[in-house]
Amino acid sequence: MANALVSIQIIPKTANGEDTIPFVDDAIAIIEASGVKYQVNPLETTMEGELSFLFNIIEKMNEKMTEKGCPSVISQIKVFYKPDGASMDELTEKYR
C-alpha cells in the first residue's frame, strides 16, 4: 500500500520564452511511465506511492526539463505522508 501522496506543480523556465505546456506534458509523461497512480488537475498533478519513489520521479521530471534546454525549474511540492497507508480516493471520497 502507498504511504504518500505528493502533488507537484512544475514550472520550467524556458530558454526563449516558449509556451511551457509542452514541457509540462513531458513531465507528466514521466509520471505516467513510472506506473504510479496519479491524477492531473488544473494547477498540479497528484501522485500516490512510496515517498522515496515519488521523490525519484520528481528528480527525473526536473532533469528532463534541463535536458530540454530549460536553464532552471521551480517545483512546488506538497506531501501527505502516512506510514500505514495514504490514498487519494480515501481523502476525496466524501466529495464524490
Side-chain angles (χ1 to χ4, degrees), residues 8 10 27 30-31 57-65:
I8 179 164
I10 194 160
I30 291 170
I31 296 171
I57 293 168
I58 292 168
E59 182 178 17
K60 289 178 183 177
M61 292 167 71
N62 280 271
E63 289 171 350
K64 180 68 171 181
M65 297 301 99

Side-chain angles (χ1 to χ4, degrees), residues 9-14 17-29 40-44 65 68 70:
Q9 179 186 32
I10 194 160
I11 307 167
K13 179 178 181 178
T14 57
E18 301 96 329
D19 181 12
T20 59
I21 297 300
F23 291 81
V24 172
D25 289 342
D26 286 344
I28 293 170
V40 177
N41 298 299
L43 298 176
E44 64 188 12
M65 297 301 99
K68 290 180 61 71
C70 295

